[in-house]
């Protein structure tokens, strides 16, 4: 079948239970944000700007677990910020599993390999030797790291870790092939690290999914190639959603990047064009998302927003009305459900109830609508989709690999032009940006640090601007 039976049955039971009880609104997925701190500044994400005054704050572990118990969603998506920065992430995952939850850790992938090495060290036995040898042979673990795993001290062996489980997914952010993804996350080398983390996860027996946001400039053929590459890596499933111009993201786009949000985010009409082939993708790849939501994205039907089914809990409480829009925070889940006027939001018959909802077609608002539908056709489509055969993985090939690594790996990342220009300008002098040589040398690909070089579009644009204007770049001898 397309998805694991135990997970599918658990979610189905939850829906049937509340339908029989006549519960008007209930949680399907909890978006749990234990912190908003992040190691990246992705274009199109307004999270760390919206919560800029509370970036150092964290939700205590006990409070996170209490929120999950309070709304009783069968699935918890741990997001943020970057959740692997949360000091108690291992204890949080363990606590949620003790509650019987399905868990998605939504990560940018930079710290995944570190967490998996910690798992191997804590659970080391000779039985893991073949997998460790393979990881070393494929360059996913260094010889030094392998020795540290084999000879872990008592503290490392007692550490709570995140083990492989049928109830847990790594959910890795991937917004395209190498050049595009690194450009969007504003750091070169992140795509390469994501792929390395996914490969390591699959060798160790973890379930691994990806989440992708489509923007105005996204090439849909590239998205299809991305799915082919991820399928060849044996990724277990994919979430894909349109980029929506919510307030925090728009403000960041203007203030930090000086760009017009209209040039980046999608309108409803654009979304329908971008997702015209979503049903074809869903037949070829393991796409998460109900058939009704796929039809909605393709413009074949309308759905009513059910944002209350995917509530968000963070450092300020229960965020309302949805994951992307913020009109307030509530101390309890019940108070949020009762006090928010849900009829004020969404789009009905093509008319936005709230102007901010006009272009929204994101999964956290509309995907639950398909799952909760009681229409006989939708029920049948959901059954057929979930219990139908899983799409066969795409065969891995060197040609597919070449198409995937089309940026930083081959020296054509989004900072390549600036680096080349600076190298020409410096003419052999050591730059203040350089490390161990002339020009803009790359940062060390240390696994513990995520293996990513530094830089963002601001750095690139400033460097190019200086060169175009003929300004002198200050250099310092090291």
């Amino acid at each position: 079948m397309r998805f694991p039976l135990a997970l599918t049955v658990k979610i189905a039971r939850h829906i049937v239970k509340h339908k029989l009880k006549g519960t008007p609104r209930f949680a399907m997925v909890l978006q749990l944000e234990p912190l908003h701190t992040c190691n990246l500044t992705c274009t199109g994400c307004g999270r760390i700007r919206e919560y800029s005054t509370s970036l150092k704050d964290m939700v205590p572990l006990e409070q996170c677990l209490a929120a999950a118990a309070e709304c009783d969603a069968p699935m918890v998506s741990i997001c943020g910020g970057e959740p692997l920065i949360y000091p108690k992430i291992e204890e949080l995952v363990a606590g949620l599993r003790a509650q019987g939850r399905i868990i998605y850790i939504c990560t940018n992938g930079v710290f995944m390999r570190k967490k998996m090495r910690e798992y191997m060290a804590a659970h080391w036995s000779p039985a893991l030797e073949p997998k460790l040898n393979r990881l070393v042979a494929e360059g996913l673990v260094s010889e030094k790291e392998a020795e540290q795993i084999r000879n872990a001290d008592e503290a490392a062996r007692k550490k709570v870790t995140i083990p492989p489980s049928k109830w847990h997914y790594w959910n890795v952010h991937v917004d395209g092939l190498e050049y595009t993804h690194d450009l969007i996350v504003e750091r070169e080398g992140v795509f390469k690290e994501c792929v390395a983390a996914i490969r390591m996860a699959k060798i160790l027996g973890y379930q691994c999914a990806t989440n992708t946001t489509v923007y105005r400039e996204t090439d849909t053929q590239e998205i299809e190639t991305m799915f082919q590459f991820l399928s060849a890596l044996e990724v277990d499933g994919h979430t894909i959603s349109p980029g929506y111009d919510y307030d925090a993201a728009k403000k960041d786009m203007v203030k930090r990047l000086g760009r017009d949000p209209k040039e980046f985010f999608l309108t409803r009409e654009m979304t329908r064009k971008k997702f015209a082939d979503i049903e074809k993708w869903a037949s070829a790849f393991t796409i998460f998302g109900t058939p009704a939501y796929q039809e909605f994205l393709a413009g074949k039907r309308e759905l009513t927003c059910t944002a209350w089914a995917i509530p968000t809990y963070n450092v300020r409480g229960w965020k309302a009305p949805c994951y992307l829009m913020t009109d307030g925070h509530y101390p309890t889940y019940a108070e949020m459900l009762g006090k928010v006027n849900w009829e004020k939001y969404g789009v009905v018959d093509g008319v936005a109830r709230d102007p901010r909802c006009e272009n929204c077609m994101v999964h956290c608002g509309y995907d639950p609508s398909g799952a909760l539908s009681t229409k006989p056709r939708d029920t049948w489509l959901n059954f057929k989709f979930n219990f139908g055969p899983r799409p066969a993985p795409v065969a891995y090939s060197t040609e597919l690999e070449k198409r995937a690594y089309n940026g930083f790996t081959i020296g054509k990342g989004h900072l390549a032009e600036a680096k080349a220009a600076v190298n020409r300008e410096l003419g052999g002098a050591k730059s203040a940006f350089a490390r161990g040589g002339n020009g803009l040398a790359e940062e060390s690909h240390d696994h513990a640090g995520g293996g990513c070089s530094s830089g963002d579009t601001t750095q690139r644009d400033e460097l190019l601007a200086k060169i175009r204007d003929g300004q002198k770049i200050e250099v310092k001898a090291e």
Side-chain angles (χ1 to χ4, degrees):
M1 59 185 295
R2 179 175 286 262
F3 305 114
L5 178 62
L7 277 63
T8 301
V9 169
K10 184 175 184 64
I11 294 170
R13 281 178 177 168
H14 183 77
I15 294 173
V16 171
K17 176 184 73 175
H18 283 286
K19 291 291 186 182
L20 291 175
K21 291 171 63 177
T23 310
R25 296 186 179 92
F26 55 91
M28 291 286 295
V29 180
L30 167 61
Q31 299 271 27
L32 179 59
E33 299 176 331
L35 81 176
H36 289 120
T37 308
C38 192
N39 56 313
L40 298 178
T41 56
C42 302
T43 302
C45 175
R47 220 36 156 211
I48 61 176
R49 264 70 63 178
E50 180 179 359
Y51 291 94
S52 60
T53 59
S54 56
L55 287 181
K56 295 182 179 180
D57 296 340
M58 289 182 283
V59 182
L61 173 63
E62 296 74 15
Q63 205 168 313
C64 287
L65 296 174
E70 183 184 359
C71 74
D72 198 31
M75 183 182 298
V76 177
S77 175
I78 309 175
C79 38
E82 168 52 48
L84 295 187
I85 297 176
Y86 185 61
K88 294 287 186 180
I89 183 62
E90 293 87 359
E91 288 83 356
L92 177 55
V93 172
L96 292 172
R97 275 303 312 129
Q99 292 181 357
R101 316 283 173 201
I102 303 165
I103 306 159
Y104 281 71
I105 300 180
C106 296
T107 174
N108 56 44
V110 172
F111 301 112
M112 270 178 64
R113 284 200 283 172
K114 179 178 183 292
K115 294 299 184 183
M116 289 186 284
R117 291 198 308 273
E118 290 174 354
Y119 153 71
M120 295 185 73
H123 297 269
W124 178 254
S125 72
L128 280 174
E129 188 68 40
K131 291 183 178 179
L132 182 57
N133 287 336
R134 181 180 171 186
L135 292 171
V136 172
E138 296 189 18
L140 301 173
V141 170
S142 70
E143 291 283 2
K144 180 181 178 181
E145 290 163 346
E147 285 306 305
Q148 290 172 343
I149 290 169
R150 294 186 184 102
N151 302 304
D153 59 22
E154 185 177 358
R157 292 192 180 278
K158 288 183 176 180
K159 180 176 173 57
V160 179
T161 61
I162 302 173
S165 169
K166 69 177 181 179
W167 299 100
H168 156 242
Y169 285 82
W170 296 114
N171 193 16
V172 187
H173 172 210
V174 183
D175 274 350
L177 302 178
E178 185 176 40
Y179 180 90
T180 299
H181 182 71
D182 285 357
L183 178 63
I184 289 175
V185 303
E186 301 182 17
R187 182 176 295 182
E188 290 184 338
V190 175
F191 178 86
K192 192 171 185 177
E193 180 60 31
C194 286
V195 174
I198 289 170
R199 289 171 55 204
M200 182 172 177
K202 296 308 299 177
I203 290 171
L204 291 175
Y206 288 89
Q207 294 192 108
C208 206
T210 62
N211 66 85
T212 300
T213 303
V214 174
Y215 298 102
R216 181 169 182 163
E217 297 174 345
T218 302
D219 179 5
T220 53
Q221 182 56 54
E222 179 179 347
I223 293 298
E224 188 164 337
T225 303
M226 178 196 74
F227 282 141
Q228 291 171 352
F229 181 63
L230 294 172
S231 174
L233 295 175
E234 299 185 353
V235 169
D236 296 285
H238 317 279
T239 299
I240 184 167
S241 189
Y244 155 60
D245 60 346
Y246 63 103
D247 287 346
K250 285 195 294 186
K251 290 175 182 176
D252 176 63
M253 185 72 60
V254 173
K255 292 182 179 180
R256 188 173 64 89
L257 301 177
R259 293 189 60 182
D260 184 350
K262 292 179 182 178
E263 297 175 354
F264 191 75
F265 296 105
L266 296 172
T267 64
R268 281 203 158 212
E269 186 58 34
M270 290 175 185
T271 294
R272 289 166 179 148
K273 290 178 180 178
K274 292 284 188 184
F275 285 84
D277 290 332
I278 182 65
E279 292 170 290
K280 183 185 78 171
W281 294 342
S283 65
F285 312 108
T286 311
I287 303 290
F288 295 144
T290 61
Y293 181 56
Q294 294 167 24
E295 291 177 342
F296 171 67
L297 288 173
K300 295 182 177 180
R301 68 182 294 171
E302 291 293 335
L303 289 174
T304 301
C305 178
T306 50
W308 43 263
I310 305 186
T312 299
Y313 187 81
N314 61 34
V315 294
R316 296 185 186 172
W318 293 95
K319 183 179 184 292
C322 66
Y323 182 67
L324 298 174
M325 286 166 47
T326 309
D327 286 347
H329 296 82
Y330 294 82
T332 68
Y333 176 62
E335 186 175 343
M336 182 190 72
L337 283 185
K339 288 190 174 181
V340 173
N341 182 359
W342 300 100
E343 306 305 319
K344 287 172 51 180
Y345 304 102
V347 176
V348 177
D349 296 327
V351 178
R353 292 165 164 172
D354 186 305
R356 296 171 297 175
C357 302
E358 182 178 1
N359 292 316
C360 179
M361 298 178 75
V362 298
H363 67 287
C364 57
Y366 290 95
D367 194 20
S369 307
L372 297 172
S373 174
T374 56
K375 294 179 179 179
R377 177 179 177 273
D378 289 338
T379 301
W380 165 243
L381 287 176
N382 286 336
F383 180 86
K384 185 170 70 170
F385 185 72
N386 288 314
F387 288 92
R390 183 185 180 88
V394 173
Y396 199 93
S397 67
T398 55
E399 178 59 31
L400 186 57
E401 184 179 272
K402 287 179 181 178
R403 290 164 69 189
Y405 293 109
N406 64 350
F408 170 72
T409 299
I410 59 173
K412 294 183 179 180
H414 65 281
L415 294 177
E417 182 183 352
K419 291 174 183 177
V422 170
N423 283 335
R424 290 194 301 271
E425 189 74 11
L426 294 174
K430 275 193 173 183
S431 164
F433 304 104
R435 295 187 179 214
N438 294 333
L440 290 177
E442 307 302 337
E443 288 186 5
S444 168
H445 278 222
D446 178 77
H447 294 168
C452 302
S453 66
S454 65
D456 60 21
T457 56
T458 302
Q459 178 191 33
R460 175 198 62 188
D461 295 342
E462 288 175 352
L463 290 170
L464 288 174
K466 285 182 179 181
I467 293 167
R468 283 194 300 267
D469 296 340
Q471 297 176 3
K472 181 180 179 181
I473 301 176
E474 181 183 359
V475 295
K476 298 177 181 179
E478 293 182 343

